[in-house]
């Protein structure tokens, strides 16, 4: 089968990420005798520099890791809503939705602390050793990808008139970052240099320095600057100026934490995801809706196959809307149970559904926000790109996709494995904190302002995130780490990738990672979106132009509202794998967007 690139194979180490500089920086750490976790931290901070429109230190990162000889674990780098972020406060401001930009949308920043906890507990390198790559690119410059400048141009007027601290970084001399020219962020480099100096002053021990850096972030000069920014009246997507709710107690009182993954077994595989504070279990629910025996699936790539997966996705995402969140108990065991999914599977007919149909696990009645109910009833429209710089603009009306997140996967020669999906803190989400060189995040836009829902805006609770890295075991042994940017599309694209691996022939004696990434992909938007302004397109399916015309015709005959996107427009997957019998490592990366890269040897 034709692929754009080979599936890489070796025995020393493999890295795949959404930017080649992050991939190669991680590989440099492996070459310097670091492990997968040292390499991931280095790559994560490089992604803050080279993909600032996709992630930043003020954002968030869920991480799934499988240490050699240990259990698969989730490290949650998603911060909660501040103590002052109550629905009553937002409603008192005349808001019906959390704005898509500005300090009112800022949760407690989670990415930095998660990377530090990972480095402390599982790494071997010092803070200075892992940050030197990011500092180098911020200080000396890097050649920016086209999308950075394009993103800046969409918010140029806002930067020039309102968010002037952002203009200072991204519109120097009135020019947006351009390919072929070095782009620098000296303020960010200075932040990390000062952080390292203060951490090293705390002592020579590696762990002591990491803990000191965490304290500086939460209570020192970085915390003070973030709090000043949160208190500045800022223009947001509501059209008004608002201040945020972030407090010193919020910053000092939160830490990234470990938790057990949500899992589902299918045909000898165990799929591991973050819990229902993410959309990760929607991947597992989609699997649970499939026949337990893969031989009972329709032919791979056929119209019947695509129809089955699209209709299953609609049911899983309807359950996500009704049941997922961190503000109430989630009946996850029931949602993944065989009786529940047998009943749900019976709802999939020959024709496309245009309804939002959450289920009733354990006999409980589903509840939707007023906005989601209105959208589902057709009383609100769909415009994922309606506000410049808002949310995570992953799907345009014409079907074009834009990943507004990053991803990285790494496996080292010892067999340590990690998948991480950094996001948030985008340059278009909040003004740059002038003293620091990066903005706050906007993840609170995913929470509803209706009380009593699993995803209601609730102080101390995490907003439900779309970020969803994956790790898979085969017969109980970790063999595969993968993920993708793409907001609400992430667990649709990942399911299609995984099934392409599981159902098709291997390559070179191993998993055909590149073939599965390159295979034509698709998604649907038949559920309320997670990003402002939170619309939906009932019955929609967006497919790549490479999908067989006969399949497209049959999908339309079945009632699907099909949009044909560009030939290479769906998905931005990364993946690494390890064969436990031979020790052979593999990696592959997405060719779409001409940005992701896998490296290894």
């Amino acid at each position: 089968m034709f692929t754009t690139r080979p599936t890489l194979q070796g025995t020393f180490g493999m890295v795949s990420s959404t930017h080649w500089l992050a991939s190669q920086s991680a590989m440099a750490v492996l070459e310097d005798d670091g492990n997968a976790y040292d390499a991931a931290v280095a790559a994560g901070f490089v992604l803050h520099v080279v993909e600032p429109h996709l992630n930043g230190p003020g954002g968030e990162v869920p991480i799934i890791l499988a240490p050699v000889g240990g259990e698969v674990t989730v490290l949650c780098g998603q911060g909660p809503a501040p103590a002052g972020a109550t629905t009553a406060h937002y409603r008192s401001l005349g808001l019906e939705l959390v704005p898509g930009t500005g300090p009112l949308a800022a949760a407690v920043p989670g990415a930095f602390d998660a990377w530090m906890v990972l480095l402390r507990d599982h790494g071997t390198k010092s803070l200075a050793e892992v940050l030197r790559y990011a500092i180098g690119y911020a200080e000396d410059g890097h050649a920016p990808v086209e999308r950075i400048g394009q993103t800046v141009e969409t918010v140029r007027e806002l930067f020039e008139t309102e968010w002037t601290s952002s203009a200072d970084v991204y519109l120097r001399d009135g020019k947006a970052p351009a390919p072929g020219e070095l782009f620098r962020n000296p303020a960010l480099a200075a932040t990390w240099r000062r952080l390292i100096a203060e951490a090293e002053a705390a002592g020579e021990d590696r762990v002591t320095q990491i803990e000191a850096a965490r304290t500086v972030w939460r209570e020192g000069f970085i915390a003070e600057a973030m709090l000043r920014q949160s208190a500045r009246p800022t223009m947001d997507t509501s059209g008004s100026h608002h201040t945020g709710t972030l407090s010193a107690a919020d910053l000092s009182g939160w830490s990234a934490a470990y938790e057990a993954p949500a899992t589902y077994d299918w045909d000898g595989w165990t799929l591991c995801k973050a819990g229902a504070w993410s959309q990760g279990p929607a991947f597992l629910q989609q699997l649970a809706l499939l026949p337990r025996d893969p031989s009972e699936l329709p032919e791979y790539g056929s119209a019947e196959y695509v129809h089955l997966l699209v209709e299953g996705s609609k049911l899983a995402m309807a359950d996500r809307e009704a049941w997922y969140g961190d503000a109430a108990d989630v009946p996850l065991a029931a949602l993944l149970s065989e009786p529940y999914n047998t009943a749900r599977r019976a709802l999939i007919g020959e024709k496309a559904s245009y309804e939002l149909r959450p289920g009733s696990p354990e006999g409980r009645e589903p509840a939707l926000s007023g906005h989601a109910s209105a959208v589902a009833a057709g009383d609100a429209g769909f415009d994922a790109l309606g506000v410049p710089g808002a949310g995570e603009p992953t799907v345009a009306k014409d079907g074009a996709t834009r990943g507004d997140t990053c991803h990285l996967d790494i496996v080292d020669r010892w067999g340590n494995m990690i998948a991480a999906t950094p996001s948030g803190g985008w340059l278009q989400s909040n003004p740059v904190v002038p003293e620091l060189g990066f903005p706050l995040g906007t993840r609170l836009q995913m929470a509803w302002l209706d009380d009593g829902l699993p995803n209601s805006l609730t102080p101390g609770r995490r907003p439900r995130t779309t970020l969803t890295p994956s790790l898979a075991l085969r017969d109980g042994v970790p063999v595969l780490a993968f993920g993708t940017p793409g907001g609400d599309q992430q667990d649709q694209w990942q399911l299609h990738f995984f099934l392409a691996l599981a159902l098709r022939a291997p390559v070179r004696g191993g998993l055909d990672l590149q073939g599965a990434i390159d295979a034509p992909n698709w998604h649907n938007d038949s559920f309320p979106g997670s990003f402002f302004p939170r619309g939906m397109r009932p019955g929609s399916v967006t497919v790549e132009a490479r999908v067989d015309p006969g399949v497209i015709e049959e999908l339309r005959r079945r009632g699907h509202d099909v949009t044909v996107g560009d030939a290479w427009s769906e998905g931005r997957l990364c993946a690494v794998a390890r064969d436990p019998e031979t020790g052979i490592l593999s990696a592959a990366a997405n060719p779409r967007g001409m940005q992701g890269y896998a490296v290894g040897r």
Side-chain angles (χ1 to χ4, degrees), residues 162-437:
E162 294 280 349
W163 296 8
T164 55
S165 61
S166 296
D168 291 342
V169 175
Y170 293 104
L171 285 171
R172 288 209 188 100
D173 301 320
K175 292 179 59 179
E181 300 177 4
L182 284 178
F183 174 70
R184 297 175 174 87
N185 188 342
L188 181 59
T191 296
W192 297 146
R193 286 199 179 281
R194 181 176 173 184
L195 176 79
I196 291 170
E198 294 192 13
E200 290 179 341
E204 296 183 1
D205 178 69
R206 188 184 75 90
V207 171
T208 298
Q209 292 178 4
I210 294 170
E211 286 299 316
R214 296 179 70 206
T215 300
V216 170
W217 176 272
R218 293 185 292 185
E219 301 175 15
F221 79 93
I222 294 178
E224 292 167 357
M226 290 193 292
L227 292 172
R228 284 193 295 271
Q229 184 62 48
S230 178
R232 291 186 179 107
T234 300
M235 175 67 74
D236 59 37
T237 53
S238 72
S240 299
H241 292 80
H242 291 115
T243 57
T245 60
L246 197 62
S247 73
D250 295 320
L251 288 174
S252 64
W254 181 81
S255 296
Y258 295 102
E259 57 189 56
T263 63
Y264 186 77
D265 295 331
W266 187 80
D267 192 38
W269 293 86
T270 299
L271 281 300
C272 302
K273 303 290 283 188
W277 53 269
S278 75
Q279 73 171 340
F283 179 105
L284 308 181
Q285 281 196 255
Q286 290 176 90
L287 266 184
L289 286 163
L290 299 179
R292 303 287 290 185
D293 184 349
S295 67
E296 297 177 14
L297 283 168
E299 179 186 358
Y300 175 86
S302 66
E304 187 180 1
Y305 177 85
V306 177
H307 173 78
L308 176 66
L309 295 186
V310 168
E311 294 303 298
S313 169
K314 292 175 185 177
L315 295 173
M317 298 302 266
D319 276 345
R320 183 197 75 163
E321 191 54 53
W323 297 108
Y324 290 19
D326 193 38
D329 175 55
V330 179
L332 191 54
L335 289 169
L336 294 174
S337 69
E338 184 61 28
Y340 179 78
N341 284 285
T342 297
R344 296 285 277 167
R345 198 177 299 125
L347 296 176
I348 299 176
E350 288 297 310
K351 293 290 187 177
S353 170
Y354 279 61
E355 299 177 78
L356 187 69
R357 299 181 290 179
S360 300
E362 301 172 335
R364 296 162 58 176
E365 285 300 309
L368 300 174
S369 76
H371 180 86
S373 297
V375 168
D379 296 332
F382 176 87
D383 188 359
L385 294 175
V387 183
E392 187 173 38
T394 53
V395 187
K397 292 179 186 176
D398 64 358
T401 58
R402 298 170 175 84
D404 214 33
T405 294
C406 305
H407 187 81
L408 64 87
D409 301 302
I410 304 174
V411 59
D412 63 29
R413 63 189 185 274
W414 301 287
N416 296 300
M417 189 174 288
I418 184 169
T421 309
S423 187
W426 311 305
L427 68 86
Q428 67 272 26
S429 66
N430 254 310
V432 166
V433 183
E435 305 94 324
L436 303 178

Side-chain angles (χ1 to χ4, degrees), residues 440-490:
L440 297 171
T442 53
R443 195 58 58 172
L444 291 187
Q445 67 181 289
M446 296 187 159
W448 294 113
L449 295 182
D450 307 64
D451 290 323
L453 301 172
N455 192 31
S456 297
L457 181 66
T458 306
R461 296 291 183 170
R462 295 165 288 191
R464 189 195 70 217
T465 178
T466 54
L467 307 176
T468 172
S470 301
L471 201 143
L473 290 70
R474 184 70 178 169
D475 299 322
V477 180
V479 297
L480 176 67
F482 60 100
T484 179
D488 294 315
Q489 287 71 54
Q490 290 182 29

Side-chain angles (χ1 to χ4, degrees), residues 64 158 161 165 188 245 269 338 381 385 409 492 495 497 541 543 545 560 598-599:
I64 302 184
L158 179 67
T161 61
S165 61
L188 181 59
T245 60
W269 293 86
E338 184 61 28
L385 294 175
D409 301 302
Q492 298 182 62
L495 177 72
F497 161 81
V541 180
V543 303
H560 295 280
V599 295

Side-chain angles (χ1 to χ4, degrees), residues 545-561:
R546 294 179 294 132
V547 170
D548 184 278
V551 171
I552 295 173
E553 181 181 354
E554 174 61 17
L555 289 173
R556 285 175 171 154
R557 190 193 69 76
R558 289 172 178 255
H560 295 280
D561 179 10

